Amino acid sequence: MNLNEIREKAIDSELLTITSGTIEAKTSTYTQNSSGPEVNLLCVINAYYFGHPIHGGIMIDGGFSSDFYLKPSYGNLNFIMKFFQKLNGVTYIQSQNADTTYQLKDLGVKSDHVYLTHRHPDHTSAINHLPKHVSVSFGKGENSFYYCLLTRKHLKGRRKHLIDFDQGVSFEGFDRVIDIFGDSSFLAISTKGHTKDHISYLVNGKKMYLIAGDAELTKEAVSNGLYVNSDYGKKGEKDARESAEKIRAFSRKYPEVEVIYSHDL
């Protein structure tokens, strides 16, 4: 399987970006920036939506719920995350009606499934505001106490599906890739490093997109040679650098594929 082969099977669908808030933080909070200057980062919170002809409304990540407007500036984060983010000087900002649920309604689309890039709460916050039938999928390696502690209340009561990259195949420089629906429309790509089982996604619609998630922070960070941080130490930082280099190599080989970063303005 190669990119040109799956491009022939593209579905008639457009990718929508839903920006539900912003993050203000220091460079060192989100990158492996041990030697460079400490500067302020302004990043957005993005989720994505496309319609599949058989499987309905597909979201990649959940974005922010309205809690971040109603209860600034830490919304529906749990106590541990609120404490940790305050300690690190991280601030979240959301304007009225910017939450994911409102925007989906405003766009006139409905979600049936959410595929997470990873289980960090800025990617899961809005899920408990979605209709009850909406299921959630994420990497098998994040079905653990640690990630449950971070996001449990956002995913409570949801049907959950684990993506098992032990069943994956190699594809265009990536070691483990899974064809989610078996029709080449939506591929899950193992890009571990930022988290234990981080996933990037290739959406094969009217245009092809590689949604990097937090495997890369922003386009500017990439151009400055920065790598995203990890929540599992030095091994994770090494994995994050390797995943980022695979994404960058893929982008150089296929410039026609638009790479999207979950926190890019």
Side-chain angles (χ1 to χ4, degrees):
M1 180 173 64
N2 62 47
L3 193 76
N4 293 327
E5 289 173 350
I6 72 165
R7 191 64 186 130
E8 295 174 359
K9 301 176 183 178
I11 59 174
D12 185 21
S13 185
E14 295 182 353
L15 186 73
L16 304 177
T17 299
I18 298 168
T19 302
S20 56
T22 59
I23 304 174
E24 292 182 355
K26 297 292 186 182
T27 310
S28 60
T29 305
Y30 288 105
T31 68
Q32 300 178 36
N33 185 41
S34 58
S35 58
E38 184 76 290
V39 298
N40 289 323
L41 286 173
L42 180 63
C43 303
V44 298
I45 303 293
N46 287 330
Y48 308 92
Y49 173 94
F50 72 94
H52 189 277
I54 297 173
H55 299 283
I58 307 300
M59 287 191 66
I60 296 134
D61 288 334
F64 274 175
S65 69
S66 57
D67 294 286
F68 283 83
Y69 172 73
L70 298 172
K71 296 180 288 185
S73 58
Y74 299 101
N76 62 353
L77 299 184
N78 65 29
F79 172 78
I80 295 172
M81 284 303 302
K82 287 178 182 178
F83 176 81
F84 180 78
Q85 297 299 61
K86 285 180 182 178
L87 187 67
N88 283 285
V90 177
T91 302
Y92 300 103
I93 302 168
Q94 185 185 61
S95 58
Q96 188 173 16
N97 298 332
D99 58 280
T100 297
T101 308
Y102 184 92
Q103 291 195 59
L104 288 173
K105 184 178 179 179
D106 192 50
L107 290 165
V109 297
K110 295 181 179 179
S111 176
D112 295 295
H113 312 279
V114 178
Y115 287 83
L116 293 175
T117 57
H118 60 297
R119 288 184 70 177
H120 279 174
D122 54 322
H123 295 258
T124 63
S125 164
I127 293 174
N128 66 346
H129 289 246
L130 296 174
K132 295 298 183 185
H133 76 275
V134 176
S135 65
V136 181
S137 300
F138 51 86
K140 182 180 73 171
E142 296 185 10
N143 188 34
S144 67
F145 175 79
Y146 170 71
Y147 292 107
C148 184
L149 185 67
L150 297 182
T151 64
R152 178 174 56 186
K153 70 176 183 178
H154 300 162
L155 308 187
K156 186 176 181 180
R158 297 286 168 181
R159 288 182 296 118
K160 301 177 184 68
H161 304 284
L162 303 182
I163 297 173
D164 183 2
F165 282 106
D166 291 340
Q167 309 303 316
V169 298
S170 62
F171 170 77
E172 296 290 3
F174 297 104
D175 297 331
R176 297 289 180 179
V177 177
I178 292 176
D179 186 345
I180 295 291
F181 301 132
D183 63 358
S184 300
S185 66
F186 188 42
L187 305 185
I189 302 170
S190 175
T191 50
K192 65 182 180 179
H194 180 58
T195 60
K196 279 279 190 178
D197 212 357
H198 186 281
I199 303 172
S200 300
Y201 293 97
L202 193 69
V203 179
N204 188 21
K206 289 182 178 179
K207 184 176 179 179
M208 184 171 278
Y209 297 91
L210 175 59
I211 299 172
D214 283 11
E216 296 271 35
L217 187 62
T218 64
K219 189 179 294 185
E220 183 180 4
V222 173
S223 66
N224 288 332
L226 296 177
Y227 297 98
V228 75
N229 65 1
S230 175
D231 67 4
Y232 61 104
K234 294 297 182 182
K235 173 64 165 61
E237 290 181 355
K238 179 176 180 292
D239 289 342
R241 293 191 295 271
E242 290 177 354
S243 290
E245 289 300 334
K246 290 173 184 176
I247 291 171
R248 296 174 193 187
F250 177 89
S251 182
R252 289 191 295 269
K253 184 177 180 180
Y254 296 106
E256 70 274 19
V257 179
E258 184 173 349
V259 180
I260 302 179
Y261 311 97
S262 290
H263 294 299
D264 221 348
L265 294 169

